[in-house]
């Protein structure tokens, strides 16, 4: 069962050691989604294991299980070969597992020393915190990792790189044996990344087991010793980095089976309805230029944080871009609020259904009619019969499952909530519909229904933008794909160029994918 | 699963059952019980003129409470309403000293109310400040101005015609204030329950982000609500000043809490998103009847506020306790 191939492979000092932490058969489900099914993972002392996978492959769920935030439905966690449980984050910390997150969970208002020793501060008389000892100890640890940070400083005054160092110092202070680094370089500059990697090397030398999660292949090949690849909540490959190529990792990540059935579509692309020119935002994105035609489905692919949703929300009027124009049917339009976008026939189905999509405490029919009330009312007075008629028509079209139209939307499943939001926007008879991760977190059946429906809408002449992080969905549904990375459009692909490998290469910025 | 078209009914429960399950029905029972208790406790209670007098206990507060109900349903609050009344009354008093006639005084009262509401609304919607903080601030600000202008003085000397708003009767025992209360109750009821504006208020109160993403002009709706609340405070200032015939800087002190109490007692969720105008109307009657009934029995004012507080907690807590017991 174990692949003991590494024994004589490389001159790795601790290669034949037993794993510090091992997971086997771990599964975790959420309503409607299976996040992890029967995965295993082994972390060895003095080695860096890279965890690779697409968005939604189950990496974050795994980290949350390891740090005691989620409890697995099945499977076991072995620490030094003994089964353990992490019912709370505190228990995981006590067992020596610590995580440095993308947005590191530290406390801005506390000092550096307090952050490092939160929960295990040295105590003096009467059980009070011995501030002096805490400061001295913090200074010693920080010196040890070459960080010139004053332990008495408040954390909010530090930059992101220094905050990472504080997080690492915290990991050292609790004598962590397993350090999880979840995209630690996402917000760092090149120089800071180099410094971080020196630290990782130091941690390795101290015999810590490190789980390194990153989308950046150059980093993985630079510091990792081993890899584990997750896809759709399953472990699909593992081994030594020295024995694998970039291309093989990409193939494992995406899978060869882009064969899920997507509806066949008669491509009937008409005149251009939407043209975006030079759209720019001071922090989120720049240089966004694209056009969209009637009957077309345009896919937007990229890693989480590439700026896709931000671009769409700017087009929809949630945020104000600092430059650029939006044209609808050749006419420049001014969109300063979502209400303006809706009036121009541009509608947006957000990714965050609970907060931004449906108003869950209101009944279905009111959710559906909300943006159409101007048309349904007479001089501002509601006409309930008209409202029910419209809600009936569109919920039927989307094959909604519900007890009645005055049921609160919050009582519906995720897939049906999504249908309510889509019904709401179709009822406004839009020209352009933007779907942000339309099938995220909904069950397979509803997924297929949403896909079929999207195809039907395009066939009727609606222009569709689909933001998606699921490669099969992007490739299966889109006529054209724009790939974004770090707030910029890095590629526009169509026809034969649309392959899983090219998407991943452009999105991750791997060599050869730089043409834009 | 058959291919037959799925039919989703519009509603699950028939209208009568929906009506009986409402909060307002429970509140109406409470009001009836208090009315009966009052009638038995005091021989003076069941007298048309006494009952008419009783309505002055709540009409002015209720006018503000209608607008406040919309504001609280939308997830905001205005604690400066009583201070707006003081400022509007002070402005009217100063104008009366300068010889302004009745129509001018009313215009000034309403204009001050609108201006104060606009100020609150701009601070909340433009700067994105929490309304509870903003209006605690403007509460001191507005009343502070009254104190600076008046000190320990009082304005009097309002023109004779001005007395009609607080002391006049339109028909038999129906005072002008009671008639205005009825008209405003109807107007606000229609606004909240039968217009697209009212629907937007509920949507915003339930999920302001979701409402924005649904194309509702959230900031504009909230601003209008602050304007309305300011305006209704101005209306209340006209009635109250007219009824008292004088203005002191301590006029209507503490009313903001009584008004919020009335709104919450009427079944409006303090967290926003739910509540009705009929509920607030009944709550106004309940509060008026309780204070008036206790007054007839010569119960001191401090005891009255204890009773109102206990009533509020009881009416809010009982349905919650009932729900907990049913779940257990």
């Amino acid at each position: 069962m174990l692949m003991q191939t590494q024994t004589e492979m490389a001159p790795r000092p601790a290669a034949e050691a037993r794993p510090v932490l091992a997971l086997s058969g771990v599964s975790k489900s959420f309503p409607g989604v299976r996040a992890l099914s029967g995965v295993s993972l082994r972390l060895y002392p003095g080695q860096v294991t890279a965890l690779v996978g697409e968005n939604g492959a189950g990496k974050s769920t795994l980290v949350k299980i390891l740090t005691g935030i989620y409890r697995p439905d099945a499977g076991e966690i072995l620490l030094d070969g003994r089964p353990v449980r992490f019912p709370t984050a505190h228990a995981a910390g006590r067992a020596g597992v610590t995580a440095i997150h993308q947005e590191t969970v530290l406390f801005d208002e506390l000092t550096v020393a307090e952050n490092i020793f939160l929960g295990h501060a040295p105590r003096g008389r009467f059980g009070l915190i011995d501030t002096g000892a805490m400061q001295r100890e913090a200074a010693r640890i920080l010196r040890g990792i070459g960080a010139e940070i004053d332990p008495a400083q408040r954390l909010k005054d530090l930059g992101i790189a220094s905050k990472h160092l504080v997080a690492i110092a915290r990991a050292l202070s609790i004598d962590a044996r397993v350090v999880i680094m979840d995209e630690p370089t996402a917000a760092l500059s090149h120089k800071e990344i180099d410094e971080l990697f020196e630290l990782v090397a130091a941690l390795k030398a101290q015999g810590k087991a490190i789980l390194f999660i990153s989308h950046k292949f150059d980093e993985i090949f630079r510091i990792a010793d081993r890899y584990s690849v997750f896809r759709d909540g399953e472990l699909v490959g593992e081994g030594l980095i020295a024995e694998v190529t970039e291309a093989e990792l990409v193939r494992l990540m995406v899978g060869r089976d882009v064969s899920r059935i997507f509806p066949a579509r008669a491509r009937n692309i008409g005149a251009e309805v939407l043209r975006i020119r030079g759209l720019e935002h001071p922090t989120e994105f720049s240089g966004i230029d694209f056009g969209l035609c009637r009957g077309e489905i345009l896919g937007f692919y990229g890693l989480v944080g590439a700026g896709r949703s931000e671009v769409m929300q700017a087009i929809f009027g949630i945020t104000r871009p600092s430059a650029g124009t939006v044209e609808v049917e050749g006419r420049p339009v001014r969109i300063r609020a979502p209400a303006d976008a809706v009036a121009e026939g541009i509608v947006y189905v957000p990714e965050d259904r609970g907060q931004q999509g449906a108003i869950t405490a209101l009944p279905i029919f009111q959710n559906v009619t909300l943006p159409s009330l101007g048309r349904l009312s007479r001089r501002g007075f509601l006409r309930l019969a008209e409202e029910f008629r419209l809600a009936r028509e569109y919920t039927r079209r989307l094959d909604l499952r519900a007890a009645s139209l005055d049921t609160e939307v919050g009582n519906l499943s995720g897939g049906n909530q999504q249908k309510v939001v889509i019904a709401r926007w179709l009822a406004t008879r839009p020209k352009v519909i933007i779907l942000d991760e339309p099938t995220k977190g909904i069950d397979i059946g509803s997924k297929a229904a949403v896909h079929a429906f999207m195809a039907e809408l395009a066939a009727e002449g609606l222009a569709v933008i689909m933001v998606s992080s699921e490669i099969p969905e992007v490739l299966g549904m889109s006529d054209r794909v724009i790939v974004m990375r770090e707030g910029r459009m890095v590629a526009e692909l169509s026809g034969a160029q649309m392959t899983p490998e090219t998407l991943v290469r452009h999105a991750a910025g791997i060599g050869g994918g730089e043409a834009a | 699963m058959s291919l037959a078209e799925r039919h989703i009914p519009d509603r699950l429960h028939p209208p009568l059952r929906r009506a009986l399950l409402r909060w307002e029905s429970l509140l109406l029972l409470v009001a009836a019980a208090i009315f009966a208790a009052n009638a038995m406790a005091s021989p003076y209670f069941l007298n048309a003129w006494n009952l008419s007098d009783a309505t002055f206990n709540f009409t002015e507060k209720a006018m503000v409470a209608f607008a406040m109900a919309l504001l609280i349903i939308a997830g905001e609050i205005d604690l400066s309403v009583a201070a707006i009344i003081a400022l509007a009354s002070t402005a009217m008093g100063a104008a009366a000293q300068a010889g302004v006639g009745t129509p001018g005084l009313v215009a000034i009262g309403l204009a001050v109310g609108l201006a104060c509401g606009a100020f609150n609304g701009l601070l909340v919607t433009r700067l994105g400040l929490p309304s509870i903080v903003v209006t605690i601030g403007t509460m001191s600000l507005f009343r502070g101005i009254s104190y600076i202008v008046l000190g320990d003085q009082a304005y009097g000397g309002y023109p004779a015609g001005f007395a009609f708003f607080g002391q006049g009767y339109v028909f038999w025992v129906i005072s002008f204030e009671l008639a205005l209360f009825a008209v405003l109750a109807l107007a606000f009821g229609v606004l909240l329950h039968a217009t697209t504006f009212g629907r937007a208020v509920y949507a915003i109160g339930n999920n302001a982000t979701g409402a924005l993403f649904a194309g509702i002009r959230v900031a504009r709706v909230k601003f209008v609500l602050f304007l309305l609340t300011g305006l209704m405070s101005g209306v209340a200032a006209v009635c109250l000043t007219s009824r008292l015939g004088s203005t002191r800087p301590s006029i209507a002190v503490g009313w903001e809490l009584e008004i919020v109490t009335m709104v919450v007692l009427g079944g409006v969720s303090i967290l926003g998103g739910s509540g009705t105008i009929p509920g607030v109307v009944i709550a106004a009657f309940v509060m008026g009847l309780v204070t008036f009934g206790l007054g007839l029995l010569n119960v001191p004012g401090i005891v009255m506020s204890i009773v109102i507080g206990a009533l509020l907690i009881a009416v809010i807590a009982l349905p919650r306790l009932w729900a907990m017991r049913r779940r257990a």
Side-chain angles (χ1 to χ4, degrees):
Chain A
M1 182 190 140
L2 283 171
M3 349 186 305
Q4 301 282 13
T5 49
Q6 72 272 34
T7 31
E8 308 94 336
M9 276 300 305
R12 274 179 228 288
E16 62 275 21
R18 288 200 318 167
V20 183
L21 189 78
L23 271 75
S24 67
V26 168
S27 298
K28 176 78 188 170
S29 295
F30 299 102
V33 228
R34 184 144 195 164
L36 286 176
S37 55
V39 299
S40 55
L41 180 76
R42 282 181 293 278
L43 302 177
Y44 295 88
Q47 294 197 20
V48 177
T49 303
L51 182 56
V52 193
E54 277 189 84
N55 300 330
K59 295 173 309 214
S60 303
T61 309
L62 184 92
V63 170
K64 286 182 177 156
I65 286 174
L66 284 177
T67 50
I69 294 167
Y70 291 161
R71 260 168 277 179
D73 302 333
E76 56 179 1
I77 306 174
L78 302 169
L79 190 69
D80 293 324
R82 285 191 316 275
V84 287
R85 275 166 196 278
F86 297 151
T88 61
H90 191 70
R94 246 192 345 239
V97 178
T98 187
I100 299 163
H101 289 282
Q102 299 169 21
E103 296 104 26
T104 311
V105 205
L106 293 171
F107 300 88
D108 270 346
E109 292 296 331
L110 301 184
T111 66
V112 169
E114 283 165 343
N115 266 291
I116 293 175
F117 285 103
L118 192 71
H120 58 279
R123 301 289 171 137
R125 259 187 303 174
F126 311 122
L128 297 177
I129 289 173
D130 184 344
T131 314
M134 187 169 79
Q135 300 268 8
R136 279 193 302 281
E137 190 60 12
R140 189 184 63 75
I141 298 173
L142 287 168
R143 257 198 319 278
I145 59 173
E148 294 187 4
I149 301 171
D150 175 7
Q153 232 181 334
R154 274 189 204 286
L155 194 79
K156 65 177 173 192
D157 299 325
L158 301 181
I160 182 81
S162 302
K163 285 184 185 173
H164 277 304
L165 292 176
V166 173
I168 290 165
R170 176 174 171 78
L172 294 172
S173 78
I174 62 173
D175 198 23
R177 304 180 55 208
V178 176
V179 180
I180 300 166
M181 305 181 117
D182 192 354
E183 303 218 36
T185 62
L188 300 187
S189 72
H190 270 294
K191 185 169 159 288
E192 290 165 343
I193 291 176
D194 286 341
E195 286 167 9
L196 180 79
F197 283 180
E198 278 171 33
L199 250 165
V200 171
L203 292 176
K204 268 173 77 169
Q206 292 181 19
K208 313 235 182 264
I210 297 164
L211 181 65
F212 186 83
I213 299 173
S214 176
H215 284 292
K216 298 180 185 165
F217 280 65
D218 54 336
E219 294 176 358
I220 291 168
F221 280 90
R222 191 164 145 199
I223 66 160
D225 303 292
R226 308 172 149 272
Y227 67 89
S228 288
V229 183
F230 278 21
R231 187 173 72 228
D232 297 334
E234 289 176 33
L235 177 73
V236 291
E238 60 180 345
L240 294 174
I241 281 286
E243 296 168 359
V244 74
T245 65
E246 239 175 54
E248 281 166 356
L249 274 189
V250 170
R251 204 157 32 238
L252 282 170
M253 262 173 76
V254 240
R256 271 268 160 244
D257 53 337
V258 191
S259 56
R260 222 185 297 155
I261 310 301
F262 286 93
R265 305 204 286 118
R267 273 144 222 236
N268 185 11
I269 294 174
E272 186 172 274
V273 279
L274 182 71
R275 167 61 57 180
I276 308 295
R277 290 185 207 275
L279 207 63
E280 210 147 302
H281 185 278
T283 54
E284 304 294 344
F285 54 81
S286 63
I288 304 299
D289 278 278
F290 67 90
L292 178 69
C293 299
R294 283 170 57 85
E296 186 182 29
I297 298 181
L298 173 60
F300 265 77
Y301 181 75
L303 301 176
V304 167
R308 296 167 297 163
S309 297
E310 287 76 7
V311 168
M312 298 311 152
Q313 294 189 1
I315 295 172
F316 188 56
I318 299 282
T319 50
R320 295 262 183 96
S322 53
T325 56
V326 177
E327 289 167 23
V328 175
E329 290 170 341
R331 183 171 44 82
V333 295
R334 247 180 114 183
I335 295 174
R336 308 178 64 178
D340 299 327
V342 176
E344 295 295 343
I346 302 172
V347 301
Y348 174 69
V349 178
E351 174 182 358
D352 179 355
R353 271 190 293 281
Q355 266 306 303
Q356 304 172 342
I359 297 177
T360 49
L362 290 187
I364 293 170
F365 80 94
Q366 293 188 8
N367 265 282
V368 171
T369 57
L370 201 51
S372 304
L373 286 179
R375 179 160 54 88
L376 292 178
S377 63
R378 187 171 284 155
R379 296 207 187 116
F381 287 95
L382 299 170
R383 293 190 296 173
L384 277 182
E386 294 292 306
E387 284 193 55
F388 275 112
R389 202 180 48 71
L390 189 80
R392 227 177 287 136
E393 181 186 336
Y394 282 91
T395 50
R396 192 172 294 165
R397 258 192 90 181
L398 276 144
D399 192 26
L400 183 82
R401 318 282 163 97
S404 73
L405 290 178
D406 67 349
T407 308
E408 285 178 13
V409 171
N411 293 334
L412 305 179
S413 70
N416 280 305
Q417 291 190 11
Q418 183 73 315
K419 287 177 187 173
V420 170
V421 179
I422 295 177
R424 159 203 289 174
W425 289 123
L426 293 180
T428 66
R429 302 185 204 130
K431 296 170 188 151
V432 176
I433 186 165
I434 303 171
L435 300 156
D436 197 344
E437 304 282 4
T439 63
K440 186 181 168 185
I442 67 179
D443 57 278
I444 296 287
S446 296
K447 252 184 194 183
V450 170
H451 288 151
F453 199 70
M454 223 189 289
E456 202 180 308
L457 292 178
E460 286 169 16
L462 195 66
V464 181
I465 294 177
M466 179 187 66
V467 174
S468 173
S469 301
E470 265 190 58
I471 288 181
E473 181 173 82
V474 172
L475 296 178
M477 293 304 302
S478 315
D479 297 304
R480 197 153 53 94
V481 179
I482 287 174
V483 183
M484 284 188 67
R485 175 160 52 88
E486 290 167 10
R488 295 176 169 277
M489 291 169 47
V490 291
E492 191 171 331
L493 310 168
S494 58
Q497 296 167 303
M498 288 168 44
T499 66
E501 285 80 6
T502 45
L503 286 191
V504 171
R505 282 179 171 281
H506 284 294
I510 302 171
E514 290 297 330
Chain B
M1 190 86 12
S2 79
L3 283 174
E5 194 154 287
R6 199 179 313 275
H7 180 72
I8 304 177
D10 287 351
R11 296 193 187 271
L12 219 46
H13 302 300
L16 184 65
R17 186 162 159 212
R18 272 182 283 133
L20 286 178
L21 285 172
R22 299 199 69 101
W23 167 267
E24 290 77 7
S25 314
L26 171 75
L27 207 57
L28 205 54
L29 286 178
V30 173
I34 292 170
F35 192 86
N38 273 329
M40 282 189 285
S42 166
Y44 308 107
F45 184 78
L46 281 180
N47 170 304
W49 284 101
N50 278 346
L51 284 175
S52 169
D53 283 348
T55 60
F56 287 106
N57 281 324
F58 63 82
T59 42
E60 291 143 6
K61 290 168 200 157
M63 294 170 195
V64 185
F66 296 145
M68 181 79 87
L70 267 63
L71 199 55
I72 292 180
I73 291 171
E76 302 287 344
I77 198 166
D78 184 348
L79 293 178
S80 70
V81 284
I84 297 177
I85 293 175
L87 188 57
S89 182
T90 306
M92 286 188 287
Q97 301 284 308
V100 175
T102 300
L105 292 180
V106 173
I108 287 170
L110 301 186
V112 169
L114 269 179
C116 293
F119 186 63
N120 283 332
L122 281 179
L123 286 176
V124 172
T125 58
R126 278 294 159 87
L127 301 183
L129 301 173
S131 56
I132 191 159
V133 178
V134 165
T135 58
I136 285 176
T138 53
M139 172 168 80
S140 309
L141 173 71
F142 297 151
R143 196 177 287 278
I145 297 172
S146 289
Y147 270 105
I148 288 171
V149 172
L150 276 167
D152 55 359
Q153 304 289 301
Y155 282 133
Y158 287 98
F162 187 69
F164 175 74
F165 302 109
Q167 300 169 24
Y169 288 82
V170 284
F171 173 71
W172 188 44
V173 294
I174 310 294
S175 64
F176 171 78
E177 284 198 13
L178 187 59
L180 184 60
F181 163 82
V183 169
L184 288 172
L186 195 69
F188 275 93
V190 168
L191 180 65
L192 180 61
H193 301 297
T195 69
T196 57
F197 183 83
R199 183 65 62 73
V201 167
Y202 280 112
I204 291 170
N206 276 300
N207 178 349
T209 312
L212 180 73
F213 273 82
I216 288 176
R217 297 187 188 274
V218 175
R220 186 180 296 178
V221 171
K222 283 187 178 173
F223 182 72
V224 170
L225 290 177
F226 278 103
L227 270 186
L228 267 180
T229 309
L231 178 66
M232 294 318 297
S233 304
V235 172
V238 170
C239 293
L240 179 62
T241 309
S242 159
R243 183 158 64 87
L244 301 176
S246 70
T247 299
R248 288 178 186 284
S250 62
I251 188 170
V253 84
W255 276 27
E256 62 279 329
L257 290 184
E258 287 184 54
I259 289 164
V260 172
T261 304
M262 197 180 278
V263 171
V264 174
L265 188 63
V268 173
S269 163
I270 195 73
L271 301 173
S274 68
T276 66
I277 292 296
V280 178
V281 171
I282 302 169
F285 276 102
V286 167
M287 284 179 69
L289 287 171
V290 167
T291 40
F292 183 66
L294 294 176
L296 282 181
L297 297 175
N298 289 322
V299 173
I302 188 69
V303 177
M304 280 190 205
S305 57
I306 292 175
V307 171
I308 294 282
L311 188 70
L312 178 70
I313 293 173
V315 177
I316 301 293
L318 280 178
R320 176 62 62 96
L321 285 173
W322 189 49
M324 279 162 74
R325 245 195 75 194
R326 275 213 314 186
R327 229 174 294 140

